[in-house]
Amino acid sequence: MLKWFRKKDAETTPSNMAAAEAGLPPPLQGDAEVVAEEPQEDQGGFLARLRHRLAKSRERLADRVDRLVLGKRHIDAELLEDLEEILITADLGVHTTELLLDRVRERVKRKELQDPERLREALREEMEAILSVDAPPLDPHRAKPFVVMMIGVNGVGKTTTIGKLAHRFRQDGLTPMLVAADTFRAAAAEQLERWAERIQVPIIRQQSGADPSAVVFDALDAAVARQVDVVLIDTAGRMHTKVNLMEELKKLHRVIQRKLPEAPHEILLVLDATTGQNAVSQARLFQEALGVTGLILTKLDGTAKGGVIVPICQELRLPVRYIGLGEALDDLRPFDAAAFARAVL
């Protein structure tokens, strides 16, 4: 069933209250709120906002490094041992911590780094280098329809992220369409439909329990017929049957490719930053099964574990496409390695 939502008159209804109780986003009050431009920020303003949203991660990393080097005159073995503990407990992981410390030791050995007060700056530079994964940019203009397969376990904020991403595409002048291919959870399709209403974009969904592959097949037919620019496919994050999740996602991938051989053009894995090292394990499993092309990390504003981005990029060499910094529509932001490194370290 394809739904095209029209502009509605502003109103407050009991359904809005029900939506809030169910944890769903209420519809916006008319098109004006949907298409309103985000406030413009210069680089300094954005960095300040980013630092504020990443305050917990910054406290766990930057503030502790500052306290470590306070009053120290030399970078010695004891200082580096204490630094190792800080990095590991900031969710950078053992392997990434060892890599960063090896690079710091090499700088010290070459006498490029001697002042402890420059230690944080050196770490920031090395972190930025790891986060700056060499990958093609996400370009929705390179195909029509540009098909994005959104994957991730339940509870990471995948459906909300899809809604916010569709909003960004619409602000950029593109026509997005949402596809409710998580037919194993009625609540997932309902939440996605509420997002479609909120941001005034079309959605394809079927009854609960329908074959996800059939939903995707029909969606791509509709996208081609209606000349939709971007198709965002919400997928299951857990099975309620004996069907293996990864096998089901592989099946969806094959269906997409049969319909559009070059699609999906992006496979974006949504991860919850608050899970710390579990996010690394999830990324590894999804990458092995599907070949992820990019990452979206959510809930960074509510966690001290933002450093987990670094080991994921270091181990899997996957680019972070967006980060979630809050609940507002414009709180899904394109990832900037330099700005992120400055914000947390």
Side-chain angles (χ1 to χ4, degrees):
M1 177 174 61
L2 175 62
K3 295 189 176 183
W4 292 84
F5 296 100
R6 299 187 178 91
K7 179 178 179 180
K8 299 180 180 180
D9 294 332
E11 59 180 354
T12 301
T13 66
S15 63
N16 293 0
M17 298 176 61
E21 292 174 357
L24 303 177
L28 292 180
Q29 305 301 318
D31 276 353
E33 289 187 51
V34 176
V35 300
E37 294 184 358
E38 298 176 15
Q40 297 297 312
E41 296 172 316
D42 58 27
Q43 184 62 23
F46 172 67
L47 182 58
R49 182 179 182 184
L50 188 61
R51 281 179 171 169
H52 174 69
R53 295 300 177 90
L54 296 175
K56 292 182 179 180
S57 294
R58 184 178 180 82
E59 180 180 357
R60 196 170 187 178
L61 188 54
D63 292 355
R64 292 176 68 193
V65 173
D66 283 344
R67 290 195 294 271
L68 173 65
V69 302
L70 184 63
K72 299 290 177 64
R73 294 185 178 183
H74 305 287
I75 299 176
D76 53 22
E78 182 181 355
L79 187 150
L80 292 177
E81 184 176 338
D82 292 338
L83 178 61
E84 180 179 21
E85 180 182 349
I86 291 173
L87 296 179
I88 291 176
T89 56
D91 280 275
L92 270 73
V94 174
H95 296 302
T96 303
T97 295
E98 289 178 352
L99 176 64
L100 288 170
L101 288 177
D102 285 345
R103 292 180 178 180
V104 167
R105 290 189 185 100
E106 186 62 27
R107 286 193 179 197
V108 173
K109 183 178 180 181
R110 295 197 304 261
K111 297 186 178 180
E112 295 175 2
L113 177 63
Q114 294 179 301
D115 185 354
E117 291 187 0
R118 289 198 62 250
L119 182 58
R120 181 153 67 93
E121 179 184 345
L123 285 171
R124 183 193 305 134
E125 291 170 355
E126 298 297 346
M127 179 185 292
E128 180 183 341
I130 293 174
L131 293 172
S132 301
V133 176
D134 184 17
L138 191 155
D139 180 13
H141 297 279
R142 66 183 174 93
K144 186 169 182 175
F146 184 79
V147 181
V148 182
M149 189 175 175
M150 304 286 291
I151 60 176
V153 300
N154 290 351
V156 297
K158 176 160 48 71
T159 304
T160 297
T161 298
I162 292 171
K164 293 180 179 180
L165 189 55
H167 174 68
R168 291 195 67 91
F169 285 138
R170 189 178 176 192
Q171 285 190 315
D172 291 338
L174 298 170
T175 303
M177 183 174 76
L178 309 185
V179 182
D182 182 1
T183 60
F184 299 93
R185 289 192 309 131
E190 291 170 4
Q191 185 182 12
L192 195 67
E193 185 169 346
R194 189 58 58 88
W195 269 106
E197 292 177 346
R198 180 180 184 184
I199 59 179
Q200 304 286 286
V201 301
I203 180 173
I204 288 184
R205 64 167 295 191
Q206 294 183 11
Q207 69 275 14
S208 179
D211 183 359
S213 297
V215 178
V216 170
F217 190 90
D218 291 345
L220 295 178
D221 266 343
V224 172
R226 297 178 181 268
Q227 298 187 332
V228 166
D229 294 316
V230 182
V231 179
L232 296 167
I233 302 173
D234 189 12
T235 62
R238 180 168 64 88
M239 296 288 106
H240 290 272
T241 66
K242 294 182 180 179
V243 179
N244 179 273
L245 171 62
M246 295 305 176
E247 291 305 315
E248 183 65 30
L249 294 177
K250 289 177 184 178
K251 179 183 175 183
L252 277 182
H253 190 274
R254 291 193 298 269
V255 169
I256 294 170
Q257 289 193 319
R258 282 201 298 268
K259 192 67 179 175
L260 297 172
E262 296 183 359
H265 303 95
E266 287 280 345
I267 302 176
L268 298 182
L269 173 61
V270 182
L271 297 169
D272 180 347
T274 65
T275 62
Q277 289 299 304
N278 283 338
V280 181
S281 300
Q282 290 174 27
R284 189 182 300 116
L285 291 172
F286 279 101
Q287 170 70 342
E288 291 173 355
L290 288 167
V292 178
T293 62
L295 305 171
I296 300 177
L297 271 89
T298 63
K299 309 178 188 180
L300 279 166
D301 58 315
T303 182
K305 300 180 178 182
V308 73
I309 293 181
V310 186
I312 294 174
C313 290
Q314 189 266 322
E315 177 180 342
L316 301 178
R317 303 311 297 160
L318 290 172
V320 180
R321 298 299 194 187
Y322 297 92
I323 54 176
L325 299 172
E327 298 299 323
L329 276 173
D330 66 346
D331 280 336
L332 182 69
R333 293 299 189 101
F335 181 70
D336 182 319
F340 182 87
R342 289 197 299 273
V344 298
L345 192 59

